[in-house]
Amino acid sequence: MLEQRVTIIGLGLMGGSLAMALRPFVRHLTAVDIDDDVNRKALQEGLVDAASPDPAEGVAEADLVVAAVPAQSIVVVLSELPAWRPDGCMVMDVGSTKKTICETMETLPSDFAAIGGHPMCGREHSGLGAATPDLFRNRTFALCRTSRTTHDIEGLALKMVECLQAQPLFLTPARHDRIAAMISHLPRLVSAALMRTAAEVDDALLWPLSSTGFQSVTRLAANNPSVMRDILLTNKTAILQCLARYEDHLSHVRTLLEADDQADIVDWFEASREEHEHYQSKRRSR
Amino acid sequence: MLEQRVTIIGLGLMGGSLAMALRPFVRHLTAVDIDDDVNRKALQEGLVDAASPDPAEGVAEADLVVAAVPAQSIVVVLSELPAWRPDGCMVMDVGSTKKTICETMETLPSDFAAIGGHPMCGREHSGLGAATPDLFRNRTFALCRTSRTTHDIEGLALKMVECLQAQPLFLTPARHDRIAAMISHLPRLVSAALMRTAAEVDDALLWPLSSTGFQSVTRLAANNPSVMRDILLTNKTAILQCLARYEDHLSHVRTLLEADDQADIVDWFEASREEHEHYQSKRRSR
């Protein structure tokens, strides 16, 4: 049982799932959502002990504040926090990018302890309705230390990760953002662009003929648009680099096809198959 | 029970799954695979009544020949078939593209009856080891009539589709290929290019941090390279058109990000989310 009073800001997919998973382990849980219907629903269902649309009220007695809103809003929360809590408190986040957020954490007054967090999991749907307590189970929970990270908040973050049945993994914010651009942010762009391309096709047989492959590759096209905007804006450089390399690969295979280069086309797909196999073996072994 | 003697050429994912699913319904089933180990395995396991690496021998007494090899090899099979069976027979295929194959079917002598087929299903792995009898269940089975399509072969094809518990859908080869380029062939390119881009990243934490989203979008990167080569070469025009439109969408969202255009980025992802929702509702209602 965690003795600390915890306030979660933002009760969407991440914040809601966090509340559900932490509920049995936290003595006092408060929700702060901009949508008061969400607060009422969380209270009615007994998901939290208190809820308010007013962040100053919601964080007033918190030992730990968890910011679970889109990345740019997390930056706003961190900037406002000293006004809401002049005496300081502990704060962590579960945002999709870490560099901008951790840099903002480092500007907090010294009464604040802060650590960056990012559970590497998700669902294609958003909002409290999509939340589930097992979202984090067996997933990697990335943790980024900052100059505001104390022994206490690191210990509390690790306890929390344990409650979620996730695996903690420490890395620097810059390394996190470079990797996340490749294995999380670019795939969402790729998936959404495919959906947008297909949606232009005006043929009634398009969807009846579509199968599990299309379903799988477009799964991330349903991502929350505000979350996506904030991911792109707060990890712009790394995402643009990955996107440029991705566009080069596409352009290369297009050139091979334009030239009817049968042998190189086979080699290209053979390499992709081998890389996929290597990736699967790494996944299985972790 | 189908009274006809059926020969399946190619016992990979498709041909193998077909043999497994048809086994209880076909009086006599023959396999022809270029790899004689596959033939022996199929015979040993009782999957077929006869098997041979020699197509002339394998089709000698067939009422129906089903070509289940990559698209360009199907064209070769159709070109050789009159030499193997001077008296003619019925022939269908289960290739991923239809225009080139159906055009070749129309060059068959008049003793041959022929219909194009394409079960809209698949798995990311290939070969007989990946075959499964329920591959076709509840899936769409595209059928393309040709000038060689008789009443008898159409009836037999429909019976076969029924045995597979699939849903038949008739359309022209050109329309099939345009749609398949969008919902099947382009997604495989997109998926493989993402795998190739990620595989270049040299960071030991890349795979530990990857989650279900990356897994989902790269699922098709493991596709059989020979199948992919033949898909690309026999549906080149439609695939290049889809790819160009896809590259335009990617380039558009890149430009929005380069310009920090927050409002248009949200609109772009909002549209992708709505299109995904529309697609899901069409899938559910079919």
Side-chain angles (χ1 to χ4, degrees):
Chain A
M1 181 65 82
L2 303 179
E3 294 302 321
Q4 290 85 352
R5 298 170 69 94
V6 175
T7 294
I8 299 173
I9 301 186
L11 227 55
L13 170 65
M14 277 296 158
S17 299
L18 206 57
M20 289 173 184
L22 290 180
R23 192 70 189 117
F25 305 104
V26 172
R27 200 166 293 279
H28 194 276
L29 196 57
T30 301
V32 173
D33 201 279
I34 200 170
D35 179 352
D36 215 21
D37 287 343
V38 169
N39 292 319
R40 270 190 289 271
K41 188 165 179 279
L43 264 179
Q44 273 164 11
E45 294 179 356
L47 182 58
V48 292
D49 303 295
S52 167
D54 174 12
E57 187 188 326
V59 306
E61 296 183 357
D63 296 304
L64 173 69
V65 172
V66 182
V69 284
Q72 293 194 111
S73 300
I74 293 173
V75 171
V76 173
V77 163
L78 292 169
S79 316
E80 304 273 350
L81 196 55
W84 302 333
R85 280 297 299 269
D87 56 328
C89 64
M90 291 192 281
V91 57
M92 74 176 287
D93 81 298
V94 290
S96 309
T97 63
K98 294 273 65 72
K99 205 159 165 292
T100 307
I101 289 168
C102 289
E103 279 165 9
T104 311
M105 283 177 170
E106 302 195 329
T107 67
L108 284 167
S110 57
D111 289 334
F112 287 87
I115 190 165
H118 181 207
M120 305 304 291
C121 54
R123 292 188 64 191
E124 60 273 39
H125 300 294
S126 48
L128 183 57
T132 162
D134 58 2
L135 188 67
F136 313 98
R137 196 174 296 157
N138 300 323
R139 299 291 163 192
T140 300
F141 198 114
L143 289 169
C144 297
R145 293 187 187 98
T146 71
S147 61
R148 284 283 166 281
T149 303
T150 59
H151 186 263
D152 280 357
I153 195 172
E154 188 170 316
L156 182 56
L158 286 172
K159 264 192 220 159
M160 215 177 79
V161 172
E162 197 187 327
C163 294
L164 303 176
Q165 299 183 51
Q167 269 103 42
L169 194 155
F170 284 93
L171 76 173
T172 66
R175 189 174 181 190
H176 169 278
D177 283 6
R178 272 198 311 273
I179 293 177
M182 185 61 239
I183 48 97
S184 173
H185 309 156
L186 178 62
R188 299 181 200 211
L189 272 183
V190 159
S191 190
L194 183 63
M195 191 70 240
R196 305 236 48 195
T197 312
E200 285 171 353
V201 176
D202 184 23
D203 191 319
L205 293 185
L206 191 74
W207 301 138
L209 282 163
S210 77
S211 183
T212 50
F214 184 79
Q215 169 76 353
S216 181
V217 183
T218 54
R219 190 169 74 82
L220 308 183
N223 265 271
N224 183 319
S226 313
V227 169
M228 287 311 303
R229 174 201 58 207
D230 284 13
I231 285 175
L232 262 59
L233 270 291
T234 58
N235 199 18
K236 180 174 165 175
T237 309
I239 292 172
L240 285 175
Q241 279 168 359
C242 288
L243 181 54
R245 291 197 294 109
Y246 178 71
E247 288 182 295
D248 284 347
H249 279 289
L250 272 186
S251 150
H252 177 65
V253 73
R254 179 165 45 73
T255 308
L256 295 181
L257 177 53
E258 282 163 352
D260 293 325
D261 189 338
Q262 305 218 24
D264 280 0
I265 289 173
V266 168
D267 288 349
W268 194 84
F269 281 103
E270 191 56 72
S272 132
R273 179 156 79 167
E274 281 165 18
E275 286 154 3
H276 187 266
E277 205 170 296
H278 175 75
Y279 155 61
Q280 291 291 57
S281 71
K282 290 284 177 185
R283 279 188 78 238
R284 278 190 294 268
S285 69
R286 87 185 189 203
Chain B
M1 182 63 85
L2 303 179
E3 294 302 321
Q4 291 86 352
R5 297 170 68 97
V6 175
T7 294
I8 299 173
I9 301 186
L11 227 56
L13 171 65
M14 277 294 157
S17 299
L18 206 58
M20 289 174 185
L22 290 181
R23 191 71 188 117
F25 304 104
V26 173
R27 201 165 293 279
H28 194 275
L29 197 57
T30 302
V32 174
D33 201 278
I34 200 170
D35 178 353
D36 215 21
D37 287 343
V38 169
N39 293 318
R40 271 190 289 271
K41 187 165 179 285
L43 264 179
Q44 273 164 12
E45 294 179 356
L47 183 58
V48 292
D49 303 294
S52 167
D54 174 12
E57 186 187 328
V59 306
E61 297 183 357
D63 297 303
L64 173 69
V65 172
V66 183
V69 285
Q72 293 193 110
S73 300
I74 293 174
V75 171
V76 174
V77 164
L78 291 170
S79 315
E80 304 274 351
L81 195 56
W84 301 334
R85 279 297 298 270
D87 56 330
C89 64
M90 290 190 281
V91 58
M92 74 175 287
D93 80 299
V94 291
S96 309
T97 63
K98 295 272 65 74
K99 205 162 165 289
T100 307
I101 289 168
C102 288
E103 279 166 9
T104 311
M105 283 177 170
E106 302 197 327
T107 66
L108 284 168
S110 57
D111 288 334
F112 286 88
I115 190 166
H118 181 207
M120 305 304 291
C121 53
R123 292 189 64 192
E124 59 272 40
H125 301 295
S126 47
L128 182 58
T132 162
D134 58 3
L135 189 67
F136 313 98
R137 196 173 297 158
N138 300 322
R139 299 291 165 196
T140 300
F141 198 115
L143 290 168
C144 297
R145 294 187 186 97
T146 72
S147 60
R148 283 285 165 280
T149 302
T150 60
H151 186 261
D152 280 358
I153 193 171
E154 188 169 315
L156 182 56
L158 286 172
K159 264 192 219 159
M160 215 177 80
V161 171
E162 197 186 327
C163 293
L164 303 175
Q165 298 182 51
Q167 269 101 42
L169 194 156
F170 284 94
L171 76 173
T172 66
R175 189 175 181 188
H176 170 278
D177 283 7
R178 271 197 312 273
I179 294 177
M182 184 62 239
I183 49 98
S184 173
H185 309 156
L186 178 62
R188 299 181 200 211
L189 272 183
V190 159
S191 189
L194 184 63
M195 191 69 239
R196 305 237 47 197
T197 312
E200 286 172 351
V201 176
D202 183 24
D203 191 319
L205 293 184
L206 190 75
W207 301 139
L209 281 163
S210 78
S211 182
T212 51
F214 184 80
Q215 168 76 354
S216 181
V217 183
T218 54
R219 190 168 74 82
L220 308 183
N223 264 270
N224 182 318
S226 312
V227 169
M228 286 311 303
R229 174 200 59 208
D230 284 13
I231 285 176
L232 262 58
L233 270 291
T234 57
N235 199 18
K236 182 174 165 175
T237 310
I239 291 172
L240 284 176
Q241 278 167 359
C242 288
L243 181 54
R245 292 197 295 110
Y246 177 71
E247 288 181 295
D248 284 347
H249 278 289
L250 274 186
S251 151
H252 177 66
V253 72
R254 179 166 44 72
T255 309
L256 294 182
L257 177 53
E258 282 163 351
D260 294 325
D261 188 339
Q262 305 218 23
D264 281 0
I265 289 173
V266 168
D267 289 348
W268 193 85
F269 281 103
E270 191 56 70
S272 130
R273 178 157 80 168
E274 281 165 18
E275 286 154 3
H276 187 266
E277 205 168 296
H278 175 75
Y279 154 62
Q280 292 290 60
S281 71
K282 290 283 177 187
R283 280 187 77 238
R284 278 190 294 268
S285 69
R286 88 187 189 201

